[in-house]
Amino acid sequence: MNARGNAHTLVQARRRDSLDKRQRVHTALAALEQEGRKITHTAVARTAGVSTWLTYTEGIREHVEAAQQRQRQRVSQPVPARDPNAALRPELELARQEIRGLREERDQMRQALRHQLGQQLDALSTTVLTGRVDELMSNNQRLADQLRQATDENTALNARVASLDQDLAAARTSLRRMIRNENTAR
């Protein structure tokens, strides 16, 4: 697919996303009116799950303002006394839902990060351990060669010592004979 096709696909996806968000705003407006909750740009945005700036854009702002106007007309009629915090409860519930969602997302990200770090540590440990094993095997081979060389040298030196011991014993025996012969000749 060429770049122009990709761009066209991206534009189409963006357009569908924009239409979906606008439809969610209209649905949220209808729900807020139906429930009798106070209509504000923030309340509409939270209910629809979109950003507040979208509720101020042309084509949406008019609908929000019309809903606010209808709500003001209804409010102008006497309403039985209500709990002053009742208007805040939906906002609070929306905030709690948003916090729950953010916590779940945070936990998922933490778990993914732990998994990724574990894999990196495993890879690092394997690499380090493999290097260490290679180093130890090299040292072991070097020491085995040195031991073999030292053993060969030791064997040669022991043979030399044995030969020198024999020569020394022969020289002593010869010296004793010479001394005995010298003493008997006098």
Side-chain angles (χ1 to χ4, degrees), residues 143-184:
L143 291 172
D145 292 343
Q146 287 176 352
L147 177 63
R148 194 174 17 254
Q149 183 181 4
T151 302
D152 292 345
E153 287 176 8
N154 190 22
T155 303
L157 289 174
N158 282 336
R160 176 93 171 123
V161 166
S163 172
L164 290 174
D165 278 343
Q166 288 175 355
D167 289 347
L168 181 60
R172 283 181 183 160
T173 304
S174 175
L175 184 57
R176 276 189 217 128
R177 276 188 205 149
M178 240 166 70
I179 292 174
R180 211 179 298 144
N181 285 340
E182 189 65 36
N183 286 337
T184 48

Side-chain angles (χ1 to χ4, degrees), residues 37-114:
R37 291 174 36 200
K38 184 173 181 178
I39 297 174
T40 64
H41 288 274
T42 303
V44 172
R46 280 192 180 159
T47 304
V50 298
S51 63
T52 307
W53 70 264
L54 180 63
T55 63
Y56 286 100
T57 61
E58 191 174 329
I60 299 291
R61 181 182 63 240
E62 293 83 7
H63 292 284
V64 173
E65 289 172 353
Q68 287 174 332
Q69 184 63 32
R70 286 191 299 272
Q71 193 174 49
R72 277 193 292 272
Q73 289 172 356
R74 272 186 250 130
V75 171
S76 63
Q77 302 167 1
V79 179
R82 290 181 14 186
D83 182 11
N85 294 329
L88 297 177
R89 284 194 184 108
E91 296 275 335
L92 180 62
E93 184 56 34
L94 285 172
R96 285 181 178 154
Q97 289 174 0
E98 188 175 342
I99 290 169
R100 265 191 299 264
L102 290 172
R103 284 182 179 156
E104 288 173 5
E105 184 179 344
R106 178 204 60 199
D107 292 343
Q108 289 172 354
M109 292 176 100
R110 275 185 180 168
Q111 187 62 30
L113 184 60
R114 282 185 186 131

